[in-house]
Amino acid sequence: MLNFIKISLAFATAVLIVGTGTVAGLFWHFSHGLPDHKQLADYQPATLTRLYAADGKLLAEYAREKRVFVPVAAMPKRVLEAFVAAEDQRFFTHPGIDFIGVVRAMVANVANPGKRPEGASGLTQQVAKNFLLTNQATLSRKIREAILAFRIEETYSKERILELYLNEIYLGSGNYGVAQAALNYFDRSLDELSLSEIAYLAALPKAPNRYNIVRNEKEAYARRDYVLHRMMEDGYITAAEAQAARAEKLQYRRRSTTEVAQADFFAEEVRRNLMAAYGEKGLYEGGLTVSTTLDPAIQNVADNALRDGLIAYDRRHGWRGAYAKIPDMSVWEEEFARIAQRRPLAGPPTWQLAVVNKVDAQSIQIVGLPDGEGTVPFAEMSWARPTLQNQTVGAAPRGPRDVVAVGDVIVVEKVEKPAGANAKPYPPKTYALRQVPNVEGGVVVMDTQTGRVLAMSGGWSYGRSQFNRAVQAARQPGSAFKPFVYLAAMDAGFTPGSIVLDAPFVYDPGHGQPLWTPKNYGGDMLGPTTVRRGLELSRNLMTVRMAQQIGMKRVVDVAKEFGVTDGMGAYLPMALGAGETTLLRMTMAYAMLANGALEITPSLVDRVQDRNGKTVYRHEPRTCRGCGEAAGNARPAAPELIDSRKPFHDPASVYQVVSMMQGVTTRGTAGRLGALGRPIAGKTGTTNDAHDNWFLGSTPDITIGVYIGFDEPRTLGSQETGGSNSVPIYEAIAKEIFKGKPPTPFRVPPGLRMVRFSYEGGTIDEVFKPNTEPGSEGYMVTPLDGSAPYSAIDPTQGPQQAGSPRRPGLSGTGETY
């Protein structure tokens, strides 16, 4: 018997030695090449980036995994207890592996060979697997997982391990981390959850889809109750608390609708900029908080104004036919559903698709509407003249049959009464014929002083095309470029009162190229005309004469200085806007004219903060004196913005151009804007054959740029100009954003002289640089700097007739320019 015991002990010792050696060998073998667990010290889970409008409304979210990171110190204690009870009840005492749990799982798996094998991975092992290893179910990975678990436990506190686990764990329905799951399952933050809801979230890691409360309610409650039982067994809650929580019915609540700002083109441009600055990983995983410059109210106004302007243009150029056609009305419902799915309607939310099922003498009947059938009277389709070549139109329709036929799929909008103040209301279910424009356009609204983009509309609908005409479309600005030619002329010695000949002009480019003979819009000529009137009426011949006189190099330098374009050639046709630029760049350039040549950079982002709230980018070019300072017992002074920027161009020349541009909006090609009753420095733009139409206008506070054109350039129509289609869009925006605000005058640089001056457009107070103003003995000049009036006699030239402009001091032979 004694020998048997000795033999047994010897055998057991040998087995123990061999087993220990084997385990040690395995651990040594699999320890090589393991990931560095110390990287978890700096690990930050991928969190979503949020964009906010200037008023705090959510604009957009970008993420690969929906996650809100919450430090463990900020998590309620019960959340930690629930997950520990459910997933690893000895977490706070084991060294990384729960050996008791491992043995229990092995016994259970041997006793129940037909059932699904039980696992025994504790929280630390899950952290090792989720962060450092793959999900491959092999013995090799399990051993590596165990080794890493020991190392993690040696390096990090239990709280840090829990923080990593609870912010990384997948909890179903696209939710990563317990905080995000709380929001999306119950619309609550962690500290608002009930015990029952906490237990449910702790039940999910084992099988998120299986325990989904919506799809598998019975199993979800059973698993929740199991977690509550475990919490009670481990002493985290009392029996009474567990019973009350089990009695509570889980209320799945969709996350409440966040007030969201709608600005798809704007948000996409911000996303592109963030990608360029922070990379894909920074954008989609970095948890950035981005405060944008967007003003949602102005954006809404800009969107509506552009849409209305495109509709107005499109209607003037006729009816292009039905949206689609259904040949066989016996199956119209199926065909209509397919058409609506393949070609979803992009436009105002009040527009709908419908099918014509009857055409009468003075109306049509339509079906397929949400409220059944409807009627379109002929009065609401009489505008639909057929579209012909080059945006011309045919004869007016005489009845509905000239416009539509049975089986046509058309766009309609419910109307209550005809246009007109005293019109009688229509019967219920009356609709008007609509048409989705094929023309496109863009709008940019910018802060004149800082370059902050307050609104950006890149086209008719982001749903129809994501191409942003405000920033991605390179187009010729046409006459909208002329202010920069005139600015170069002011630098060269011209004045607003200088006389330039508006007469035929022929230019020989040489090298066997044909002669260039530009024309004025309309073909007329005014003869000798003041520079001011030339800009107000957008005279092409005067512009090229000045450009030739001063040299195109001056014009190119000014264009580059104001950021209109980078690679403009010094060719005379460029003076009429033949180079290409974008609406955003043109709006920036006009803003810098209006602010006195203070440099700005267009920005859609005010500030970017990282996941920890640290500001990593700020756009504001000015400094704030007194902002954020502790006042103590003294009365705090009002914060003051200090602008250290210096003009990069002669402010006197710039203001002369701005003054002339104000004439454009009162007496010139945009004269209808005079009704707004405020100083606006603007310029229309129309390119050759009216391919592109523009208007840009500035006040000292706001600059608005408008562009209209086809994506594949072609004529907008022989009568379409920037004044006829772009100015009304500007006017609609300006009316709304300036409503109730007093006019702000442009700041006048010191030293300029104001002279009462008669010219073709009337009598005005014209602005001259010192010693360039016209004068005569006894003619009194009122300086703009507030000094006393003086007699306008030029001692070097002798008395001149009052109001008679002097020619600029340029080299020449005496001819009139």
Side-chain angles (χ1 to χ4, degrees):
M1 183 66 179
L2 183 60
N3 289 336
F4 176 76
I5 294 173
K6 288 180 179 181
I7 293 171
S8 298
L9 285 174
F11 179 76
T13 301
V15 169
L16 179 62
I17 292 171
V18 172
T20 302
T22 301
V23 171
L26 287 172
F27 268 65
W28 179 86
H29 174 75
F30 287 105
S31 292
H32 293 289
L34 284 177
D36 183 7
H37 64 286
K38 293 183 179 179
Q39 64 184 280
L40 296 179
D42 300 321
Y43 179 80
Q44 294 177 323
T47 53
L48 56 81
T49 289
R50 285 195 173 103
L51 274 57
Y52 293 95
D55 65 353
K57 291 179 182 175
L58 182 66
L59 178 59
E61 292 180 334
Y62 300 107
R64 287 200 180 94
E65 299 175 353
K66 296 178 183 177
R67 177 186 287 105
V68 177
F69 179 82
V70 179
V72 70
M75 292 184 184
K77 188 178 179 182
R78 280 223 165 136
V79 172
L80 310 183
E81 294 169 345
F83 278 86
V84 168
E87 293 292 307
D88 190 353
Q89 66 184 111
R90 283 171 286 275
F91 170 73
F92 288 109
T93 58
H94 67 61
I97 297 177
D98 181 6
F99 291 104
I100 297 174
V102 171
V103 172
R104 178 193 54 78
M106 291 174 61
V107 171
N109 291 336
V110 170
N112 303 285
K115 292 187 176 182
R116 181 181 177 181
E118 290 190 22
S121 291
L123 296 183
T124 312
Q125 289 173 270
Q126 292 186 52
V127 167
K129 178 187 70 175
N130 293 338
F131 287 85
L132 303 173
L133 299 172
T134 67
N135 287 324
Q136 189 178 11
T138 62
L139 178 61
S140 171
R141 196 220 71 202
K142 293 294 290 184
I143 295 172
R144 290 159 63 87
E145 178 186 294
I147 297 170
L148 283 172
F150 283 127
R151 292 181 178 180
I152 289 171
E153 289 274 354
E154 290 175 353
T155 307
Y156 304 107
S157 68
K158 294 286 187 178
E159 288 72 20
R160 173 61 175 169
I161 296 169
L162 269 177
E163 182 177 82
L164 292 169
Y165 174 80
L166 291 173
N167 280 293
E168 181 73 12
I169 190 69
Y170 179 66
L171 295 173
S173 300
N175 297 296
Y176 291 83
V178 66
Q180 185 73 26
L183 288 172
N184 287 335
Y185 283 116
F186 302 116
D187 194 25
R188 291 182 178 179
S189 60
L190 290 177
D191 57 358
E192 296 174 321
L193 294 174
S194 68
L195 175 58
S196 176
E197 290 165 341
I198 290 172
Y200 172 71
L201 294 181
L204 290 172
K206 189 174 182 65
N209 293 326
R210 178 181 175 186
Y211 299 126
N212 185 285
I213 189 64
V214 176
R215 294 192 297 268
N216 300 305
E217 183 178 288
K218 184 177 179 180
E219 292 192 58
Y221 276 114
R223 180 66 181 171
R224 179 207 62 178
D225 294 347
Y226 166 78
V227 175
L228 289 170
H229 177 74
R230 289 289 333 127
M231 292 180 73
M232 183 185 68
E233 287 280 312
D234 293 345
Y236 295 131
I237 60 175
T238 66
E241 287 174 319
Q243 184 177 355
R246 280 194 294 269
E248 180 183 321
K249 182 173 177 59
L250 291 170
Q251 296 291 329
Y252 172 72
R253 292 181 290 272
R254 288 186 178 274
R255 190 172 176 184
S256 56
T257 304
T258 305
E259 194 170 7
V260 177
Q262 292 297 323
D264 293 332
F265 286 107
F266 185 101
E268 173 58 17
E269 184 63 15
V270 173
R271 189 195 69 82
R272 291 173 63 237
N273 291 344
L274 292 173
M275 277 278 288
Y278 301 104
E280 188 174 350
K281 183 177 178 67
L283 174 61
Y284 289 98
E285 300 180 17
L288 303 174
T289 298
V290 182
S291 300
T292 73
T293 60
L294 179 77
D295 185 315
I298 294 179
Q299 181 67 56
N300 185 56
V301 169
D303 287 341
N304 290 336
L306 177 61
R307 185 169 284 172
D308 290 346
L310 296 179
I311 292 172
Y313 166 85
D314 189 67
R315 178 170 286 207
R316 288 197 298 272
H317 295 278
W319 170 247
R320 296 187 303 278
Y323 189 85
K325 291 182 179 292
I326 298 176
D328 185 359
M329 283 297 287
S330 66
V331 291
W332 75 265
E333 290 177 297
E334 295 89 338
E335 281 298 313
F336 183 55
R338 278 194 284 270
I339 290 169
Q341 184 178 20
R342 287 197 307 266
R343 295 181 56 196
L345 180 62
T350 54
W351 286 18
Q352 303 171 56
L353 291 177
V355 182
V356 178
N357 73 332
K358 186 179 181 183
V359 180
D360 294 324
Q362 290 299 316
S363 66
I364 63 172
Q365 301 299 312
I366 52 177
V367 293
L369 299 163
D371 56 353
E373 298 182 353
T375 301
V376 181
F378 178 61
E380 296 297 339
M381 63 174 69
S382 59
W383 61 269
R385 301 159 71 99
T387 296
L388 304 179
Q389 286 187 342
N390 296 323
Q391 297 300 100
T392 58
V393 294
R398 293 166 296 177
R401 289 184 176 84
D402 292 339
V403 182
V404 298
V406 172
D408 283 355
V409 178
I410 59 175
V411 181
V412 296
E413 182 180 26
K414 185 176 283 188
V415 289
E416 296 181 354
K417 64 176 185 178
N422 300 318
K424 294 182 179 179
Y426 281 129
K429 296 187 178 182
T430 299
Y431 290 79
L433 181 66
R434 298 289 185 252
Q435 179 173 249
V436 176
N438 60 354
V439 70
E440 281 291 357
V443 170
V444 172
V445 183
M446 182 181 292
D447 185 309
T448 302
Q449 301 300 323
T450 64
R452 298 175 70 247
V453 178
L454 307 178
M456 175 187 287
S457 298
W460 166 258
S461 166
Y462 189 78
R464 178 169 80 172
S465 167
Q466 297 179 17
F467 183 68
N468 189 336
R469 287 96 191 155
V471 295
Q472 294 175 300
R475 299 289 185 264
Q476 294 181 349
S479 298
F481 179 74
K482 288 177 181 174
F484 304 99
V485 179
Y486 280 67
L487 177 55
M490 296 302 104
D491 292 336
F494 278 82
T495 76
S498 299
I499 296 294
V500 176
L501 189 62
D502 185 23
F505 181 91
V506 178
Y507 174 68
D508 184 0
H511 305 291
Q513 298 182 58
L515 297 177
W516 182 53
T517 56
K519 301 286 191 297
N520 288 326
Y521 179 79
D524 64 326
M525 287 167 281
L526 302 178
T529 305
T530 57
V531 167
R532 170 178 284 275
R533 199 61 176 155
L535 185 59
E536 289 178 352
L537 298 180
S538 196
R539 310 304 289 178
N540 291 339
L541 297 173
M542 293 176 65
T543 303
V544 295
R545 265 196 171 81
M546 282 194 299
Q548 185 185 47
Q549 174 66 21
I550 64 177
M552 276 301 295
K553 184 180 184 306
R554 284 182 181 269
V555 177
V556 170
D557 289 344
V558 168
K560 186 174 182 180
E561 199 175 16
F562 279 81
V564 176
T565 182
D566 296 323
M568 178 177 164
Y571 310 112
L572 200 55
M574 294 292 179
L576 298 182
E580 291 186 341
T581 185
T582 66
L583 179 60
L584 182 64
R585 295 187 73 158
M586 285 294 289
T587 308
M588 173 194 68
Y590 270 64
M592 289 191 290
L593 284 175
N595 71 21
L598 298 177
E599 186 176 3
I600 60 174
T601 301
S603 177
L604 286 73
V605 173
D606 278 334
R607 184 173 61 174
V608 178
Q609 295 169 282
D610 64 18
R611 67 174 70 222
N612 299 314
K614 179 183 177 183
T615 297
V616 294
Y617 169 82
R618 188 172 73 95
H619 168 68
E620 175 59 68
R622 301 166 295 181
T623 56
C624 183
R625 178 184 295 163
C627 293
E629 293 181 2
N633 296 325
R635 184 175 181 179
E640 179 185 4
L641 282 174
I642 307 300
D643 196 341
S644 60
R645 294 174 296 174
K646 302 297 182 184
F648 61 82
H649 200 96
D650 178 15
S653 294
V654 170
Y655 183 76
Q656 286 181 306
V657 173
V658 167
S659 176
M660 289 188 284
M661 291 167 68
Q662 291 179 67
V664 173
T665 63
T666 54
R667 298 174 296 273
T669 54
R672 63 185 285 170
L673 298 181
L676 295 176
R678 63 183 60 242
I680 299 172
K683 184 67 186 76
T684 53
T686 305
T687 63
N688 284 344
D689 299 321
H691 279 192
D692 303 289
N693 286 174
W694 303 69
F695 179 76
L696 298 105
S698 296
T699 70
D701 303 316
I702 300 292
T703 298
I704 304 171
V706 180
Y707 160 79
I708 287 183
F710 290 100
D711 284 346
E712 295 183 3
R714 55 190 173 94
T715 183
L716 289 162
S718 60
Q719 302 301 311
E720 293 290 345
T721 66
S724 66
N725 53 47
S726 297
V727 169
I729 296 173
Y730 176 97
E731 183 180 22
I733 299 170
K735 277 183 177 178
E736 290 298 319
I737 66 177
F738 293 139
K739 187 182 295 181
K741 298 178 181 177
T744 303
F746 288 93
R747 192 183 71 83
V748 183
L752 289 174
R753 312 296 186 191
M754 179 182 289
V755 177
R756 180 64 61 178
F757 187 84
S758 296
Y759 82 126
E760 305 89 339
T763 301
I764 61 169
D765 291 332
E766 189 59 274
V767 180
F768 295 89
K769 297 175 185 176
N771 300 321
T772 67
E773 68 272 15
S776 65
E777 187 174 2
Y779 188 84
M780 303 305 291
V781 177
T782 305
L784 295 182
D785 58 7
S787 58
Y790 67 97
S791 178
I793 299 176
D794 186 340
T796 64
Q797 298 290 328
Q800 293 184 327
Q801 183 180 353
S804 175
R806 288 172 49 198
R807 66 183 295 275
L810 302 170
S811 60
T813 57
E815 64 268 31
T816 301
Y817 294 98

